[in-house]
Amino acid sequence: MKLMIDTNIILDVLLERVPSYAGSKAILNMCEKNDITGFISASTATDIFYLVRKALGSTDEAYNALGHILNIVKVLNVTNNDVNTAFLKRAKDFEDCLLATCANSNKCDGIVTRNKKDFADFGIALFSPEEIIGIKE
């Protein structure tokens, strides 16, 4: 399964956010074991770095965290067409729309997210961490 990993799933793990940590950690473990192929967008990588640096107050910690994630998931390019397609949709959350557009254009099977409602209008399959864990058991 090729799955786009929502930014919040990764942040749950890096920032040890309870109660979402366990399910999100299981998803990244599945990516690490190649049970699923996990992807993030190039723009997600910059978001992760910024948010981890802000939360932990350390550039070095942010590089370490992002480096760990880059060893687990693959990064997809965000193309000019992806940006323009997302822009034309005029979605309430441009970042989520761009993530879904990138997932669609790269033929991902879906997005793993805790916030399905945020992606509901973008025409891609949505899975919670628990749903993916259930599928793969």
Coordinates of all heavy atoms in Angstrom, one line a residue, residues 20-100:
S20 N -2.6 10.3 20.9 CA -2.4 9.8 19.5 C -1.1 9.1 19.2 O -0.9 8.5 18.2 CB -2.6 11.0 18.6 OG -3.8 11.6 18.8
Y21 N -0.2 9.2 20.2 CA 1.2 8.7 19.9 C 1.2 7.2 19.5 O 1.9 6.9 18.5 CB 2.0 8.9 21.2 CG 3.4 8.3 21.1 CD1 4.4 9.0 20.5 CD2 3.7 7.0 21.6 CE1 5.7 8.4 20.4 CE2 4.9 6.4 21.5 CZ 5.9 7.2 20.9 OH 7.2 6.6 20.8
A22 N 0.5 6.3 20.2 CA 0.6 4.9 20.0 C 0.2 4.5 18.5 O 0.9 3.8 17.8 CB -0.2 4.1 21.0
G23 N -1.0 5.0 18.1 CA -1.4 4.7 16.7 C -0.5 5.3 15.7 O -0.2 4.6 14.7
S24 N -0.1 6.5 15.9 CA 0.8 7.1 14.9 C 2.2 6.4 14.9 O 2.7 6.2 13.8 CB 1.0 8.6 15.3 OG -0.3 9.3 15.1
K25 N 2.7 6.1 16.0 CA 3.9 5.3 16.1 C 3.8 4.0 15.3 O 4.8 3.6 14.6 CB 4.3 5.1 17.5 CG 5.6 4.3 17.7 CD 6.8 5.1 17.3 CE 8.1 4.3 17.7 NZ 9.2 4.7 16.9
A26 N 2.7 3.3 15.5 CA 2.5 2.1 14.8 C 2.6 2.2 13.3 O 3.1 1.4 12.5 CB 1.2 1.4 15.2
I27 N 2.0 3.4 12.8 CA 2.1 3.7 11.3 C 3.5 3.8 10.9 O 3.9 3.3 9.9 CB 1.2 4.9 11.0 CG1 -0.3 4.6 11.2 CG2 1.5 5.4 9.5 CD1 -0.8 3.5 10.4
L28 N 4.3 4.6 11.6 CA 5.7 4.8 11.2 C 6.5 3.5 11.3 O 7.4 3.3 10.5 CB 6.3 5.9 12.0 CG 5.8 7.3 11.8 CD1 6.5 8.4 12.5 CD2 5.8 7.7 10.3
N29 N 6.2 2.7 12.3 CA 6.8 1.4 12.4 C 6.5 0.5 11.2 O 7.4 -0.2 10.7 CB 6.4 0.6 13.7 CG 7.0 1.2 14.9 OD1 8.0 2.0 14.9 ND2 6.4 0.9 16.1
M30 N 5.3 0.6 10.7 CA 4.9 -0.2 9.5 C 5.7 0.3 8.3 O 6.1 -0.5 7.4 CB 3.4 -0.1 9.3 CG 2.6 -0.8 10.4 SD 0.8 -0.4 10.2 CE 0.3 -1.7 9.1
C31 N 5.9 1.6 8.2 CA 6.7 2.2 7.1 C 8.1 1.7 7.2 O 8.7 1.3 6.2 CB 6.6 3.7 7.2 SG 5.0 4.5 6.8
E32 N 8.6 1.7 8.4 CA 10.0 1.3 8.7 C 10.2 -0.2 8.3 O 11.3 -0.5 7.8 CB 10.4 1.6 10.1 CG 11.9 1.6 10.4 CD 12.2 2.2 11.7 OE1 11.4 2.2 12.7 OE2 13.3 2.7 11.9
K33 N 9.2 -1.0 8.5 CA 9.3 -2.4 8.2 C 8.9 -2.7 6.8 O 8.9 -3.9 6.4 CB 8.4 -3.2 9.2 CG 8.8 -3.2 10.6 CD 7.8 -3.9 11.5 CE 8.1 -3.8 12.9 NZ 7.0 -4.4 13.7
N34 N 8.5 -1.7 6.0 CA 8.1 -1.8 4.7 C 6.8 -2.6 4.5 O 6.5 -3.3 3.5 CB 9.2 -2.4 3.8 CG 10.4 -1.5 3.6 OD1 10.2 -0.3 3.4 ND2 11.5 -2.1 3.8
D35 N 6.0 -2.6 5.6 CA 4.6 -3.2 5.5 C 3.7 -2.3 4.7 O 2.8 -2.8 4.1 CB 4.0 -3.4 6.9 CG 4.8 -4.4 7.8 OD1 5.4 -5.3 7.2 OD2 4.7 -4.4 9.0
I36 N 4.0 -1.0 4.7 CA 3.4 -0.1 3.9 C 4.5 0.9 3.4 O 5.5 1.0 4.0 CB 2.3 0.8 4.6 CG1 2.8 1.5 5.8 CG2 1.1 -0.1 5.0 CD1 1.8 2.5 6.5
T37 N 4.2 1.5 2.2 CA 5.2 2.5 1.7 C 4.6 3.9 2.1 O 3.5 4.3 1.7 CB 5.3 2.4 0.2 OG1 5.7 1.1 -0.1 CG2 6.4 3.4 -0.3
G38 N 5.3 4.6 3.0 CA 4.9 5.9 3.5 C 5.5 7.0 2.7 O 6.7 6.9 2.4
F39 N 4.7 8.0 2.5 CA 5.2 9.2 1.8 C 4.9 10.5 2.5 O 3.8 10.5 3.2 CB 4.6 9.3 0.4 CG 5.0 8.2 -0.5 CD1 4.1 7.1 -0.7 CD2 6.1 8.2 -1.3 CE1 4.4 6.1 -1.5 CE2 6.5 7.2 -2.1 CZ 5.6 6.1 -2.3
I40 N 5.7 11.5 2.4 CA 5.3 12.8 2.8 C 5.6 13.7 1.6 O 6.3 13.3 0.7 CB 6.1 13.3 4.0 CG1 7.6 13.4 3.8 CG2 5.8 12.5 5.3 CD1 8.4 14.1 4.9
S41 N 5.0 14.9 1.6 CA 5.4 15.8 0.5 C 6.6 16.6 0.9 O 6.9 16.7 2.1 CB 4.2 16.8 0.2 OG 4.0 17.7 1.3
A42 N 7.2 17.2 -0.1 CA 8.4 18.1 0.2 C 8.0 19.2 1.1 O 8.7 19.6 2.0 CB 8.9 18.6 -1.1
S43 N 6.8 19.8 1.0 CA 6.3 20.8 1.8 C 6.1 20.3 3.3 O 6.2 21.1 4.2 CB 5.1 21.5 1.3 OG 4.0 20.6 1.0
T44 N 5.7 19.1 3.4 CA 5.5 18.5 4.7 C 6.8 18.5 5.5 O 6.9 18.7 6.7 CB 4.9 17.1 4.7 OG1 3.6 17.2 4.1 CG2 4.8 16.4 6.0
A45 N 7.9 18.2 4.8 CA 9.2 18.1 5.4 C 9.6 19.5 6.0 O 10.1 19.5 7.2 CB 10.3 17.7 4.4
T46 N 9.3 20.6 5.3 CA 9.6 21.9 5.9 C 8.7 22.2 7.0 O 9.1 22.8 8.0 CB 9.5 23.0 4.8 OG1 8.2 23.0 4.3 CG2 10.5 22.8 3.7
D47 N 7.4 21.8 6.9 CA 6.5 22.0 8.1 C 7.0 21.3 9.3 O 6.9 21.8 10.4 CB 5.1 21.5 7.7 CG 4.4 22.4 6.6 OD1 4.9 23.5 6.4 OD2 3.4 21.9 6.0
I48 N 7.4 20.0 9.1 CA 7.8 19.2 10.3 C 9.0 19.9 10.9 O 9.1 20.0 12.2 CB 8.2 17.8 9.8 CG1 6.9 17.0 9.4 CG2 9.0 17.0 10.9 CD1 7.2 15.7 8.7
F49 N 10.0 20.3 10.1 CA 11.2 20.9 10.7 C 10.8 22.2 11.5 O 11.3 22.3 12.6 CB 12.2 21.3 9.5 CG 13.5 21.9 10.1 CD1 14.5 21.0 10.4 CD2 13.6 23.3 10.2 CE1 15.7 21.6 10.9 CE2 14.8 23.8 10.8 CZ 15.8 23.0 11.1
Y50 N 10.0 23.0 10.9 CA 9.6 24.3 11.5 C 8.9 24.0 12.9 O 9.2 24.6 13.9 CB 8.7 25.1 10.6 CG 8.1 26.3 11.3 CD1 8.9 27.5 11.5 CD2 6.8 26.3 11.8 CE1 8.3 28.5 12.2 CE2 6.3 27.4 12.4 CZ 7.0 28.5 12.6 OH 6.5 29.6 13.3
L51 N 7.9 23.1 12.8 CA 7.1 22.8 14.0 C 7.9 22.1 15.1 O 7.7 22.4 16.3 CB 5.8 22.1 13.6 CG 4.9 22.8 12.8 CD1 3.8 21.9 12.2 CD2 4.2 24.0 13.5
V52 N 8.8 21.2 14.8 CA 9.6 20.6 15.8 C 10.6 21.5 16.4 O 10.8 21.6 17.6 CB 10.3 19.3 15.2 CG1 11.3 18.8 16.1 CG2 9.2 18.2 14.9
R53 N 11.2 22.4 15.5 CA 12.1 23.4 16.1 C 11.4 24.3 17.0 O 12.0 24.6 18.1 CB 12.8 24.1 14.9 CG 13.9 25.1 15.4 CD 14.4 26.0 14.3 NE 13.4 26.8 13.8 CZ 13.4 27.4 12.6 NH1 14.5 27.3 11.8 NH2 12.4 28.2 12.2
K54 N 10.2 24.7 16.7 CA 9.5 25.6 17.5 C 9.1 25.0 18.8 O 9.2 25.6 19.9 CB 8.2 26.1 16.8 CG 7.4 27.1 17.5 CD 6.3 27.6 16.6 CE 5.4 28.6 17.4 NZ 4.2 29.0 16.6
A55 N 8.6 23.7 18.8 CA 8.2 23.0 20.0 C 9.4 22.7 20.9 O 9.2 22.8 22.1 CB 7.5 21.7 19.6
L56 N 10.5 22.3 20.3 CA 11.6 21.9 21.1 C 12.7 23.0 21.4 O 13.5 22.8 22.2 CB 12.3 20.6 20.5 CG 11.4 19.4 20.3 CD1 12.3 18.3 19.6 CD2 10.8 18.9 21.6
G57 N 12.6 24.0 20.6 CA 13.5 25.2 20.8 C 14.9 24.8 20.4 O 15.8 25.5 20.9
S58 N 15.1 23.9 19.4 CA 16.4 23.5 19.0 C 16.5 23.1 17.6 O 15.8 22.2 17.1 CB 16.9 22.3 19.9 OG 18.1 21.7 19.4
T59 N 17.4 23.8 16.9 CA 17.6 23.5 15.4 C 18.2 22.1 15.3 O 17.8 21.3 14.4 CB 18.5 24.6 14.8 OG1 17.8 25.8 14.9 CG2 18.7 24.3 13.3
D60 N 19.2 21.8 16.2 CA 19.8 20.5 16.1 C 18.8 19.4 16.3 O 18.8 18.3 15.6 CB 20.9 20.3 17.1 CG 22.1 21.1 16.7 OD1 22.3 21.5 15.5 OD2 22.9 21.5 17.7
E61 N 17.9 19.5 17.3 CA 16.8 18.5 17.5 C 15.9 18.4 16.3 O 15.5 17.3 16.0 CB 16.0 18.9 18.8 CG 16.8 18.7 20.1 CD 17.0 17.3 20.5 OE1 16.3 16.4 20.1 OE2 18.0 17.1 21.2
A62 N 15.6 19.5 15.7 CA 14.7 19.5 14.5 C 15.4 18.7 13.4 O 14.7 17.9 12.7 CB 14.3 20.9 14.1
Y63 N 16.7 18.9 13.2 CA 17.4 18.2 12.1 C 17.4 16.7 12.4 O 17.3 15.9 11.6 CB 18.8 18.7 11.9 CG 18.9 19.9 11.0 CD1 19.2 21.2 11.4 CD2 18.7 19.7 9.6 CE1 19.3 22.2 10.5 CE2 18.8 20.7 8.7 CZ 19.0 22.0 9.1 OH 19.1 23.0 8.3
N64 N 17.7 16.4 13.7 CA 17.7 15.0 14.1 C 16.4 14.3 13.9 O 16.3 13.2 13.4 CB 18.1 14.8 15.6 CG 19.6 15.1 15.8 OD1 20.4 15.0 14.9 ND2 19.9 15.5 17.1
A65 N 15.3 15.0 14.3 CA 13.9 14.4 14.1 C 13.6 14.3 12.6 O 13.1 13.2 12.2 CB 12.9 15.4 14.8
L66 N 13.9 15.3 11.8 CA 13.6 15.2 10.4 C 14.4 14.1 9.7 O 13.9 13.3 8.9 CB 13.8 16.5 9.7 CG 13.4 16.5 8.2 CD1 11.9 16.1 8.0 CD2 13.7 17.9 7.6
G67 N 15.7 14.0 10.1 CA 16.5 13.0 9.6 C 16.0 11.6 9.9 O 16.0 10.7 9.0
H68 N 15.5 11.4 11.1 CA 14.9 10.1 11.4 C 13.7 9.8 10.5 O 13.6 8.7 10.0 CB 14.5 10.1 12.9 CG 13.9 8.8 13.4 ND1 14.7 7.6 13.5 CD2 12.7 8.5 13.7 CE1 13.9 6.7 13.9 NE2 12.6 7.1 14.0
I69 N 12.9 10.7 10.3 CA 11.7 10.6 9.5 C 12.1 10.3 8.0 O 11.5 9.4 7.4 CB 10.7 11.8 9.6 CG1 10.2 11.9 11.0 CG2 9.6 11.7 8.5 CD1 9.4 10.7 11.5
L70 N 13.1 10.9 7.6 CA 13.5 10.7 6.2 C 14.1 9.4 5.9 O 14.2 8.9 4.8 CB 14.5 11.8 5.8 CG 13.9 13.2 5.7 CD1 15.0 14.3 5.4 CD2 12.8 13.3 4.7
N71 N 14.5 8.7 7.0 CA 14.9 7.3 6.9 C 13.8 6.3 6.9 O 14.0 5.1 6.6 CB 15.9 6.9 8.1 CG 17.2 7.6 7.9 OD1 17.8 7.7 6.8 ND2 17.8 8.0 9.0
I72 N 12.6 6.8 7.1 CA 11.4 5.9 7.2 C 10.5 6.1 6.1 O 9.9 5.1 5.6 CB 10.7 6.2 8.6 CG1 11.6 5.8 9.8 CG2 9.4 5.4 8.6 CD1 11.0 6.2 11.1
V73 N 10.3 7.3 5.6 CA 9.3 7.6 4.5 C 10.1 8.2 3.3 O 11.2 8.7 3.5 CB 8.2 8.6 5.0 CG1 7.4 8.0 6.1 CG2 8.8 9.9 5.4
K74 N 9.4 8.2 2.2 CA 9.9 8.8 1.0 C 9.3 10.2 0.8 O 8.1 10.4 1.2 CB 9.6 7.9 -0.2 CG 10.4 6.6 -0.1 CD 9.9 5.7 -1.3 CE 10.7 4.4 -1.4 NZ 10.6 3.5 -0.3
V75 N 10.0 11.1 0.2 CA 9.5 12.4 -0.1 C 9.0 12.5 -1.5 O 9.8 12.2 -2.5 CB 10.6 13.5 0.2 CG1 10.0 14.9 -0.1 CG2 11.0 13.4 1.6
L76 N 7.8 13.0 -1.7 CA 7.3 13.2 -3.0 C 7.4 14.7 -3.4 O 7.2 15.6 -2.6 CB 5.8 12.8 -3.1 CG 5.4 11.4 -2.9 CD1 3.9 11.2 -2.8 CD2 6.0 10.5 -3.9
N77 N 7.7 14.9 -4.7 CA 7.8 16.3 -5.2 C 6.4 16.9 -5.2 O 5.4 16.2 -5.5 CB 8.4 16.3 -6.6 CG 9.8 15.9 -6.6 OD1 10.6 16.2 -5.7 ND2 10.2 15.3 -7.7
V78 N 6.3 18.2 -5.0 CA 5.1 18.9 -5.2 C 5.4 19.7 -6.4 O 6.3 20.6 -6.5 CB 4.8 19.9 -4.0 CG1 3.6 20.7 -4.2 CG2 4.7 19.1 -2.7
T79 N 4.6 19.4 -7.5 CA 4.8 20.0 -8.8 C 4.1 21.3 -8.9 O 3.1 21.6 -8.1 CB 4.4 19.1 -9.9 OG1 3.0 18.9 -9.8 CG2 5.1 17.7 -9.8
N80 N 4.4 22.1 -10.0 CA 3.7 23.3 -10.3 C 2.2 22.9 -10.6 O 1.3 23.7 -10.1 CB 4.3 23.9 -11.6 CG 3.7 25.2 -12.0 OD1 3.7 26.1 -11.3 ND2 3.0 25.2 -13.1
N81 N 1.9 21.8 -11.2 CA 0.6 21.4 -11.5 C -0.2 21.1 -10.2 O -1.4 21.5 -10.0 CB 0.5 20.2 -12.4 CG -0.9 19.9 -12.9 OD1 -1.6 20.8 -13.4 ND2 -1.3 18.7 -12.7
D82 N 0.5 20.5 -9.2 CA -0.1 20.2 -7.9 C -0.5 21.5 -7.2 O -1.7 21.6 -6.7 CB 0.8 19.4 -7.0 CG 1.1 18.0 -7.4 OD1 0.3 17.4 -8.1 OD2 2.2 17.5 -7.1
V83 N 0.4 22.4 -7.2 CA 0.1 23.7 -6.6 C -1.1 24.4 -7.2 O -2.0 24.9 -6.6 CB 1.3 24.6 -6.5 CG1 1.0 26.0 -5.9 CG2 2.4 24.0 -5.6
N84 N -1.1 24.5 -8.6 CA -2.1 25.2 -9.3 C -3.5 24.5 -9.1 O -4.5 25.1 -9.0 CB -1.8 25.3 -10.8 CG -0.8 26.4 -11.0 OD1 -0.8 27.4 -10.4 ND2 0.2 26.2 -11.9
T85 N -3.5 23.1 -9.1 CA -4.7 22.4 -9.0 C -5.3 22.7 -7.6 O -6.5 22.9 -7.4 CB -4.5 20.9 -9.1 OG1 -4.0 20.6 -10.5 CG2 -5.7 20.0 -8.9
A86 N -4.5 22.6 -6.6 CA -4.9 22.9 -5.2 C -5.4 24.3 -5.1 O -6.4 24.6 -4.4 CB -3.8 22.6 -4.2
F87 N -4.7 25.2 -5.7 CA -5.1 26.6 -5.6 C -6.4 26.9 -6.3 O -7.3 27.6 -5.7 CB -4.0 27.5 -6.4 CG -4.3 28.9 -6.5 CD1 -4.1 29.8 -5.4 CD2 -4.9 29.5 -7.6 CE1 -4.5 31.1 -5.4 CE2 -5.2 30.8 -7.7 CZ -5.0 31.6 -6.6
L88 N -6.7 26.2 -7.4 CA -8.0 26.4 -8.1 C -9.2 25.9 -7.3 O -10.3 26.3 -7.5 CB -7.9 25.8 -9.5 CG -7.0 26.6 -10.5 CD1 -6.9 25.8 -11.8 CD2 -7.5 28.0 -10.7
K89 N -8.9 24.9 -6.4 CA -10.0 24.3 -5.6 C -10.5 25.3 -4.5 O -11.5 25.1 -4.0 CB -9.5 23.0 -5.0 CG -9.4 21.9 -6.0 CD -9.1 20.6 -5.4 CE -9.0 19.5 -6.5 NZ -8.8 18.2 -6.0
R90 N -9.6 26.3 -4.2 CA -10.0 27.3 -3.2 C -10.5 26.6 -1.9 O -11.5 27.1 -1.3 CB -11.0 28.2 -3.7 CG -10.6 29.1 -4.8 CD -9.7 30.2 -4.3 NE -9.7 31.3 -5.2 CZ -8.6 32.1 -5.3 NH1 -7.5 31.8 -4.7 NH2 -8.7 33.1 -6.1
A91 N -9.8 25.6 -1.4 CA -10.2 24.9 -0.2 C -10.0 25.7 1.0 O -9.1 26.6 1.0 CB -9.4 23.6 -0.1
K92 N -10.7 25.4 2.1 CA -10.5 26.1 3.3 C -9.1 26.0 3.9 O -8.5 26.9 4.4 CB -11.6 25.7 4.3 CG -11.7 26.5 5.6 CD -13.0 26.2 6.3 CE -12.7 25.4 7.5 NZ -13.9 25.2 8.3
D93 N -8.6 24.8 3.7 CA -7.2 24.5 4.2 C -6.3 24.1 3.0 O -6.4 23.0 2.5 CB -7.2 23.3 5.2 CG -5.9 23.1 5.9 OD1 -4.8 23.3 5.2 OD2 -5.8 22.8 7.1
F94 N -5.6 25.1 2.5 CA -4.8 24.9 1.3 C -3.7 23.8 1.5 O -3.5 23.0 0.6 CB -4.1 26.2 0.9 CG -3.3 26.1 -0.3 CD1 -3.8 26.0 -1.6 CD2 -1.9 26.1 -0.2 CE1 -3.0 25.9 -2.7 CE2 -1.1 26.0 -1.3 CZ -1.6 25.9 -2.6
E95 N -3.1 23.8 2.7 CA -2.1 22.8 3.0 C -2.6 21.4 2.8 O -2.0 20.5 2.2 CB -1.5 23.0 4.4 CG -0.4 22.1 4.7 CD 0.1 22.4 6.1 OE1 -0.3 23.3 6.8 OE2 1.0 21.6 6.5
D96 N -3.8 21.1 3.4 CA -4.4 19.8 3.3 C -4.8 19.5 1.8 O -4.6 18.3 1.3 CB -5.6 19.6 4.2 CG -5.2 19.5 5.7 OD1 -4.0 19.3 6.0 OD2 -6.1 19.7 6.5
C97 N -5.3 20.4 1.1 CA -5.7 20.3 -0.3 C -4.4 19.9 -1.1 O -4.4 19.1 -2.0 CB -6.4 21.5 -0.8 SG -7.0 21.3 -2.5
L98 N -3.3 20.6 -0.9 CA -2.1 20.4 -1.6 C -1.6 19.0 -1.3 O -1.1 18.3 -2.2 CB -1.0 21.4 -1.3 CG 0.3 21.3 -2.0 CD1 0.0 21.4 -3.5 CD2 1.2 22.5 -1.6
L99 N -1.6 18.6 0.0 CA -1.2 17.2 0.3 C -2.0 16.2 -0.4 O -1.5 15.2 -1.0 CB -1.3 17.0 1.8 CG -0.7 15.8 2.4 CD1 0.8 15.9 2.5 CD2 -1.2 15.5 3.8
A100 N -3.3 16.3 -0.5 CA -4.2 15.4 -1.2 C -4.0 15.4 -2.7 O -3.9 14.4 -3.3 CB -5.7 15.7 -0.9

